[in-house]
Short mmCIF file of all heavy atoms in Angstrom, two decimals:
data_model
loop_
_atom_site.label_atom_id
_atom_site.label_comp_id
_atom_site.label_asym_id
_atom_site.label_seq_id
_atom_site.Cartn_x
_atom_site.Cartn_y
_atom_site.Cartn_z
N ASP C 168 4.43 22.12 3.89
CA ASP C 168 5.09 22.09 2.58
C ASP C 168 4.06 21.90 1.46
O ASP C 168 4.16 22.50 0.39
CB ASP C 168 6.14 20.97 2.52
CG ASP C 168 7.36 21.30 3.37
OD1 ASP C 168 7.51 22.48 3.75
OD2 ASP C 168 8.13 20.36 3.67
N ASP C 169 3.08 21.04 1.71
CA ASP C 169 2.04 20.79 0.71
C ASP C 169 1.25 22.08 0.44
O ASP C 169 0.95 22.40 -0.72
CB ASP C 169 1.11 19.69 1.23
CG ASP C 169 0.03 19.33 0.22
OD1 ASP C 169 0.37 18.73 -0.81
OD2 ASP C 169 -1.15 19.66 0.47
N ALA C 170 0.94 22.81 1.51
CA ALA C 170 0.21 24.07 1.34
C ALA C 170 1.04 25.09 0.58
O ALA C 170 0.55 25.79 -0.31
CB ALA C 170 -0.19 24.62 2.71
N LYS C 171 2.33 25.14 0.91
CA LYS C 171 3.21 26.10 0.22
C LYS C 171 3.28 25.79 -1.27
O LYS C 171 3.23 26.70 -2.10
CB LYS C 171 4.62 26.03 0.82
CG LYS C 171 4.77 26.69 2.17
CD LYS C 171 6.23 26.50 2.64
CE LYS C 171 6.48 27.15 3.97
NZ LYS C 171 7.83 26.84 4.47
N ARG C 172 3.43 24.52 -1.59
CA ARG C 172 3.55 24.13 -3.01
C ARG C 172 2.32 24.55 -3.81
O ARG C 172 2.41 24.93 -4.98
CB ARG C 172 3.75 22.62 -3.13
CG ARG C 172 5.17 22.15 -3.05
CD ARG C 172 5.31 20.71 -3.54
NE ARG C 172 4.45 19.81 -2.78
CZ ARG C 172 4.80 19.23 -1.64
NH1 ARG C 172 5.99 19.46 -1.14
NH2 ARG C 172 3.98 18.44 -1.00
N ASP C 173 1.16 24.47 -3.15
CA ASP C 173 -0.10 24.82 -3.83
C ASP C 173 -0.45 26.30 -3.71
O ASP C 173 -1.51 26.72 -4.20
CB ASP C 173 -1.26 24.01 -3.22
CG ASP C 173 -1.35 22.63 -3.81
OD1 ASP C 173 -0.49 22.29 -4.64
OD2 ASP C 173 -2.28 21.89 -3.43
N GLY C 174 0.39 27.05 -3.04
CA GLY C 174 0.11 28.47 -2.86
C GLY C 174 -1.00 28.75 -1.86
O GLY C 174 -1.60 29.83 -1.87
N ARG C 175 -1.27 27.79 -1.00
CA ARG C 175 -2.33 28.00 -0.01
C ARG C 175 -1.73 28.64 1.25
O ARG C 175 -1.69 28.06 2.33
CB ARG C 175 -3.02 26.67 0.33
CG ARG C 175 -3.62 25.96 -0.88
CD ARG C 175 -4.53 24.81 -0.49
NE ARG C 175 -3.95 23.95 0.52
CZ ARG C 175 -3.18 22.89 0.27
NH1 ARG C 175 -2.88 22.57 -0.98
NH2 ARG C 175 -2.70 22.16 1.24
N VAL C 176 -1.24 29.83 1.06
CA VAL C 176 -0.62 30.61 2.14
C VAL C 176 -1.33 31.95 2.19
O VAL C 176 -1.54 32.58 1.14
CB VAL C 176 0.88 30.81 1.87
CG1 VAL C 176 1.55 31.54 3.03
CG2 VAL C 176 1.57 29.47 1.63
N TYR C 177 -1.73 32.38 3.36
CA TYR C 177 -2.53 33.60 3.44
C TYR C 177 -2.25 34.34 4.74
O TYR C 177 -1.78 33.74 5.72
CB TYR C 177 -4.03 33.29 3.32
CG TYR C 177 -4.57 32.33 4.38
CD1 TYR C 177 -5.29 32.80 5.47
CD2 TYR C 177 -4.38 30.95 4.28
CE1 TYR C 177 -5.79 31.94 6.44
CE2 TYR C 177 -4.87 30.08 5.23
CZ TYR C 177 -5.58 30.57 6.30
OH TYR C 177 -6.06 29.71 7.26
N ALA C 178 -2.56 35.63 4.72
CA ALA C 178 -2.43 36.43 5.96
C ALA C 178 -3.77 36.40 6.67
O ALA C 178 -4.82 36.52 6.05
CB ALA C 178 -2.04 37.85 5.60
N ALA C 179 -3.72 36.20 7.99
CA ALA C 179 -4.97 36.13 8.74
C ALA C 179 -4.72 36.60 10.16
O ALA C 179 -3.58 36.60 10.65
CB ALA C 179 -5.50 34.71 8.75
N ASP C 180 -5.77 36.99 10.81
CA ASP C 180 -5.68 37.44 12.19
C ASP C 180 -6.66 36.62 13.02
O ASP C 180 -7.79 37.02 13.25
CB ASP C 180 -6.01 38.94 12.26
CG ASP C 180 -5.88 39.47 13.69
OD1 ASP C 180 -5.23 38.78 14.50
OD2 ASP C 180 -6.44 40.54 13.98
N VAL C 181 -6.22 35.47 13.41
CA VAL C 181 -7.04 34.60 14.23
C VAL C 181 -6.52 34.69 15.67
O VAL C 181 -5.36 34.36 15.93
CB VAL C 181 -6.97 33.13 13.75
CG1 VAL C 181 -7.72 32.21 14.69
CG2 VAL C 181 -7.51 33.02 12.34
N PRO C 182 -7.34 35.19 16.61
CA PRO C 182 -6.87 35.28 18.00
C PRO C 182 -6.40 33.92 18.52
O PRO C 182 -7.05 32.90 18.28
CB PRO C 182 -8.11 35.77 18.76
CG PRO C 182 -8.96 36.41 17.72
CD PRO C 182 -8.71 35.66 16.45
N LEU C 183 -5.27 33.96 19.21
CA LEU C 183 -4.72 32.71 19.73
C LEU C 183 -4.21 32.95 21.15
O LEU C 183 -3.47 33.90 21.40
CB LEU C 183 -3.58 32.25 18.81
CG LEU C 183 -3.02 30.84 19.02
CD1 LEU C 183 -2.65 30.21 17.68
CD2 LEU C 183 -1.80 30.88 19.91
N VAL C 184 -4.65 32.14 22.06
CA VAL C 184 -4.17 32.23 23.45
C VAL C 184 -3.49 30.92 23.80
O VAL C 184 -3.85 29.86 23.28
CB VAL C 184 -5.33 32.51 24.44
CG1 VAL C 184 -5.95 33.86 24.19
CG2 VAL C 184 -6.38 31.42 24.36
N GLY C 185 -2.48 31.01 24.69
CA GLY C 185 -1.82 29.77 25.03
C GLY C 185 -0.70 29.95 26.03
O GLY C 185 -0.55 31.02 26.64
N SER C 186 0.08 28.91 26.19
CA SER C 186 1.19 28.91 27.13
C SER C 186 2.25 29.92 26.70
O SER C 186 2.25 30.39 25.55
CB SER C 186 1.82 27.52 27.17
OG SER C 186 0.85 26.53 27.37
N ASP C 187 3.16 30.21 27.61
CA ASP C 187 4.26 31.10 27.28
C ASP C 187 5.02 30.57 26.06
O ASP C 187 5.31 29.37 25.98
CB ASP C 187 5.25 31.20 28.46
CG ASP C 187 4.64 32.00 29.61
OD1 ASP C 187 3.60 32.67 29.37
OD2 ASP C 187 5.18 31.93 30.72
N GLY C 188 5.34 31.48 25.17
CA GLY C 188 6.11 31.09 23.99
C GLY C 188 5.26 30.64 22.83
O GLY C 188 5.79 30.40 21.74
N VAL C 189 3.96 30.52 23.03
CA VAL C 189 3.09 30.12 21.93
C VAL C 189 2.41 31.39 21.42
O VAL C 189 1.72 32.07 22.19
CB VAL C 189 2.02 29.11 22.38
CG1 VAL C 189 1.13 28.72 21.20
CG2 VAL C 189 2.68 27.88 22.98
N ALA C 190 2.60 31.70 20.17
CA ALA C 190 2.07 32.97 19.65
C ALA C 190 1.47 32.77 18.26
O ALA C 190 1.90 31.88 17.50
CB ALA C 190 3.18 34.01 19.59
N ALA C 191 0.51 33.63 17.97
CA ALA C 191 -0.08 33.60 16.64
C ALA C 191 0.93 34.09 15.61
O ALA C 191 1.81 34.89 15.93
CB ALA C 191 -1.33 34.47 16.61
N THR C 192 0.81 33.59 14.41
CA THR C 192 1.66 34.06 13.32
C THR C 192 0.82 34.88 12.35
O THR C 192 -0.41 34.71 12.29
CB THR C 192 2.29 32.87 12.57
OG1 THR C 192 1.24 32.05 12.07
CG2 THR C 192 3.18 32.06 13.49
N ALA C 193 1.47 35.74 11.60
CA ALA C 193 0.74 36.58 10.65
C ALA C 193 0.40 35.80 9.38
O ALA C 193 -0.61 36.07 8.73
CB ALA C 193 1.57 37.81 10.30
N VAL C 194 1.24 34.83 9.06
CA VAL C 194 1.03 34.04 7.85
C VAL C 194 0.50 32.65 8.24
O VAL C 194 1.04 32.00 9.13
CB VAL C 194 2.36 33.89 7.08
CG1 VAL C 194 2.22 32.91 5.93
CG2 VAL C 194 2.82 35.25 6.58
N HIS C 195 -0.55 32.26 7.57
CA HIS C 195 -1.15 30.95 7.87
C HIS C 195 -1.05 30.04 6.65
O HIS C 195 -1.08 30.51 5.51
CB HIS C 195 -2.62 31.12 8.26
CG HIS C 195 -2.79 31.78 9.59
ND1 HIS C 195 -3.99 31.78 10.27
CD2 HIS C 195 -1.94 32.48 10.36
CE1 HIS C 195 -3.85 32.45 11.40
NE2 HIS C 195 -2.61 32.89 11.47
N TYR C 196 -0.95 28.75 6.93
CA TYR C 196 -0.92 27.74 5.86
C TYR C 196 -2.27 27.04 5.87
O TYR C 196 -2.71 26.54 6.90
CB TYR C 196 0.21 26.75 6.10
CG TYR C 196 1.55 27.45 6.24
CD1 TYR C 196 2.13 27.64 7.49
CD2 TYR C 196 2.19 27.95 5.11
CE1 TYR C 196 3.33 28.31 7.62
CE2 TYR C 196 3.40 28.62 5.24
CZ TYR C 196 3.96 28.79 6.50
OH TYR C 196 5.14 29.47 6.62
N GLU C 197 -2.87 26.96 4.69
CA GLU C 197 -4.20 26.34 4.63
C GLU C 197 -4.05 24.83 4.48
O GLU C 197 -4.19 24.27 3.39
CB GLU C 197 -5.01 26.92 3.46
CG GLU C 197 -6.48 26.56 3.58
CD GLU C 197 -7.27 26.91 2.33
OE1 GLU C 197 -6.70 26.90 1.22
OE2 GLU C 197 -8.46 27.18 2.48
N CYS C 198 -3.78 24.19 5.58
CA CYS C 198 -3.64 22.73 5.60
C CYS C 198 -5.00 22.05 5.73
O CYS C 198 -5.21 20.97 5.20
CB CYS C 198 -2.74 22.31 6.75
SG CYS C 198 -1.11 23.10 6.71
N PHE C 199 -5.89 22.69 6.46
CA PHE C 199 -7.24 22.15 6.65
C PHE C 199 -8.21 23.02 5.85
O PHE C 199 -8.24 24.25 6.03
CB PHE C 199 -7.60 22.13 8.14
CG PHE C 199 -6.82 21.11 8.91
CD1 PHE C 199 -5.60 21.45 9.49
CD2 PHE C 199 -7.25 19.81 9.01
CE1 PHE C 199 -4.84 20.51 10.17
CE2 PHE C 199 -6.51 18.85 9.69
CZ PHE C 199 -5.30 19.21 10.27
N ARG C 200 -8.93 22.42 4.96
CA ARG C 200 -9.83 23.19 4.08
C ARG C 200 -10.97 22.30 3.64
O ARG C 200 -10.78 21.33 2.90
CB ARG C 200 -9.07 23.73 2.87
CG ARG C 200 -8.34 22.66 2.12
CD ARG C 200 -7.30 23.18 1.15
NE ARG C 200 -6.47 22.06 0.77
CZ ARG C 200 -6.47 21.48 -0.42
NH1 ARG C 200 -7.24 21.94 -1.37
NH2 ARG C 200 -5.70 20.45 -0.69
N PRO C 201 -12.17 22.59 4.09
CA PRO C 201 -13.33 21.86 3.56
C PRO C 201 -13.49 22.20 2.09
O PRO C 201 -13.14 23.31 1.66
CB PRO C 201 -14.49 22.40 4.40
CG PRO C 201 -14.01 23.68 4.97
CD PRO C 201 -12.53 23.62 5.05
N GLN C 202 -13.98 21.28 1.32
CA GLN C 202 -14.12 21.54 -0.11
C GLN C 202 -15.18 20.63 -0.72
O GLN C 202 -15.52 19.59 -0.14
CB GLN C 202 -12.79 21.33 -0.83
CG GLN C 202 -12.22 19.94 -0.67
CD GLN C 202 -10.84 19.81 -1.30
OE1 GLN C 202 -10.66 19.04 -2.24
NE2 GLN C 202 -9.87 20.58 -0.80
N ALA C 203 -15.69 21.05 -1.85
CA ALA C 203 -16.61 20.22 -2.63
C ALA C 203 -15.83 19.62 -3.78
O ALA C 203 -15.09 20.33 -4.47
CB ALA C 203 -17.77 21.06 -3.14
N ARG C 204 -15.96 18.32 -3.95
CA ARG C 204 -15.26 17.66 -5.06
C ARG C 204 -16.13 16.52 -5.58
O ARG C 204 -16.66 15.73 -4.78
CB ARG C 204 -13.91 17.12 -4.61
CG ARG C 204 -13.07 16.60 -5.77
CD ARG C 204 -11.88 15.80 -5.31
NE ARG C 204 -11.03 16.54 -4.40
CZ ARG C 204 -10.14 15.96 -3.60
NH1 ARG C 204 -10.03 14.66 -3.56
NH2 ARG C 204 -9.39 16.69 -2.80
N ASP C 205 -16.23 16.42 -6.87
CA ASP C 205 -17.01 15.36 -7.50
C ASP C 205 -18.42 15.27 -6.93
O ASP C 205 -18.95 14.18 -6.68
CB ASP C 205 -16.30 14.00 -7.33
CG ASP C 205 -14.93 14.00 -7.99
OD1 ASP C 205 -14.76 14.73 -8.98
OD2 ASP C 205 -14.04 13.30 -7.49
N GLY C 206 -18.99 16.42 -6.66
CA GLY C 206 -20.38 16.44 -6.19
C GLY C 206 -20.55 16.12 -4.73
O GLY C 206 -21.68 15.97 -4.26
N ALA C 207 -19.44 16.00 -4.00
CA ALA C 207 -19.55 15.67 -2.58
C ALA C 207 -18.83 16.74 -1.75
O ALA C 207 -17.82 17.31 -2.20
CB ALA C 207 -18.94 14.30 -2.30
N TRP C 208 -19.35 16.99 -0.57
CA TRP C 208 -18.70 17.91 0.34
C TRP C 208 -17.72 17.13 1.20
O TRP C 208 -18.07 16.07 1.75
CB TRP C 208 -19.74 18.61 1.22
CG TRP C 208 -19.10 19.63 2.14
CD1 TRP C 208 -18.81 20.93 1.84
CD2 TRP C 208 -18.68 19.42 3.49
NE1 TRP C 208 -18.23 21.55 2.92
CE2 TRP C 208 -18.13 20.65 3.94
CE3 TRP C 208 -18.68 18.32 4.35
CZ2 TRP C 208 -17.62 20.80 5.22
CZ3 TRP C 208 -18.17 18.48 5.63
CH2 TRP C 208 -17.64 19.72 6.05
N LEU C 209 -16.49 17.63 1.31
CA LEU C 209 -15.46 16.93 2.08
C LEU C 209 -15.07 17.77 3.29
O LEU C 209 -14.80 18.98 3.16
CB LEU C 209 -14.22 16.68 1.22
CG LEU C 209 -14.44 15.93 -0.10
CD1 LEU C 209 -13.14 15.82 -0.87
CD2 LEU C 209 -15.02 14.55 0.17
N ALA C 210 -15.03 17.16 4.44
CA ALA C 210 -14.61 17.86 5.66
C ALA C 210 -13.15 18.29 5.53
O ALA C 210 -12.39 17.78 4.70
CB ALA C 210 -14.79 16.95 6.86
N ASP C 211 -12.74 19.22 6.39
CA ASP C 211 -11.41 19.81 6.25
C ASP C 211 -10.27 18.82 6.48
O ASP C 211 -9.15 19.04 6.01
CB ASP C 211 -11.26 21.01 7.19
CG ASP C 211 -11.37 20.64 8.65
OD1 ASP C 211 -11.89 19.55 8.95
OD2 ASP C 211 -10.92 21.43 9.51
N ASP C 212 -10.56 17.73 7.18
CA ASP C 212 -9.47 16.78 7.42
C ASP C 212 -9.29 15.79 6.27
O ASP C 212 -8.31 15.06 6.24
CB ASP C 212 -9.66 16.04 8.76
CG ASP C 212 -11.10 15.65 9.02
OD1 ASP C 212 -11.81 15.38 8.05
OD2 ASP C 212 -11.49 15.66 10.21
N VAL C 213 -10.21 15.77 5.32
CA VAL C 213 -10.07 14.84 4.19
C VAL C 213 -8.85 15.20 3.33
O VAL C 213 -7.97 14.35 3.12
CB VAL C 213 -11.35 14.79 3.34
CG1 VAL C 213 -11.16 13.92 2.11
CG2 VAL C 213 -12.52 14.29 4.17
N PRO C 214 -8.76 16.43 2.83
CA PRO C 214 -7.55 16.76 2.05
C PRO C 214 -6.28 16.75 2.89
O PRO C 214 -5.20 16.45 2.37
CB PRO C 214 -7.84 18.16 1.49
CG PRO C 214 -8.99 18.68 2.24
CD PRO C 214 -9.74 17.53 2.79
N ALA C 215 -6.39 17.06 4.17
CA ALA C 215 -5.19 17.02 5.02
C ALA C 215 -4.66 15.60 5.13
O ALA C 215 -3.45 15.36 5.00
CB ALA C 215 -5.53 17.58 6.41
N CYS C 216 -5.56 14.65 5.34
CA CYS C 216 -5.12 13.25 5.42
C CYS C 216 -4.58 12.78 4.07
O CYS C 216 -3.61 12.01 4.01
CB CYS C 216 -6.26 12.35 5.90
SG CYS C 216 -6.64 12.54 7.65
N ALA C 217 -5.21 13.23 3.00
CA ALA C 217 -4.71 12.85 1.66
C ALA C 217 -3.29 13.38 1.46
O ALA C 217 -2.43 12.68 0.92
CB ALA C 217 -5.66 13.38 0.59
N ALA C 218 -3.06 14.62 1.90
CA ALA C 218 -1.71 15.19 1.76
C ALA C 218 -0.70 14.41 2.60
O ALA C 218 0.43 14.16 2.16
CB ALA C 218 -1.74 16.66 2.18
N LEU C 219 -1.10 14.01 3.79
CA LEU C 219 -0.20 13.23 4.63
C LEU C 219 0.13 11.89 3.98
O LEU C 219 1.28 11.46 3.98
CB LEU C 219 -0.85 13.01 6.01
CG LEU C 219 -0.89 14.24 6.92
CD1 LEU C 219 -1.81 14.00 8.12
CD2 LEU C 219 0.51 14.59 7.42
N ARG C 220 -0.88 11.26 3.41
CA ARG C 220 -0.64 9.98 2.76
C ARG C 220 0.27 10.15 1.53
O ARG C 220 1.16 9.32 1.30
CB ARG C 220 -1.97 9.32 2.37
CG ARG C 220 -2.68 8.68 3.56
CD ARG C 220 -4.13 8.37 3.27
NE ARG C 220 -4.36 7.60 2.07
CZ ARG C 220 -4.22 6.27 1.98
NH1 ARG C 220 -3.84 5.58 3.04
NH2 ARG C 220 -4.49 5.64 0.86
#
Side-chain angles (χ1 to χ4, degrees):
Chain C
D168 289 345
D169 182 70
K171 285 178 179 174
R172 272 195 303 273
D173 277 3
R175 302 192 313 272
V176 184
Y177 59 102
D180 182 18
V181 174
L183 191 143
V184 295
S186 309
D187 288 346
V189 180
T192 58
V194 172
H195 290 194
Y196 305 102
E197 194 190 29
C198 304
F199 291 90
R200 53 195 166 109
Q202 58 185 243
R204 188 193 303 162
D205 299 330
W208 183 86
L209 305 177
D211 63 341
D212 40 33
V213 175
C216 287
L219 287 167
R220 283 164 53 80

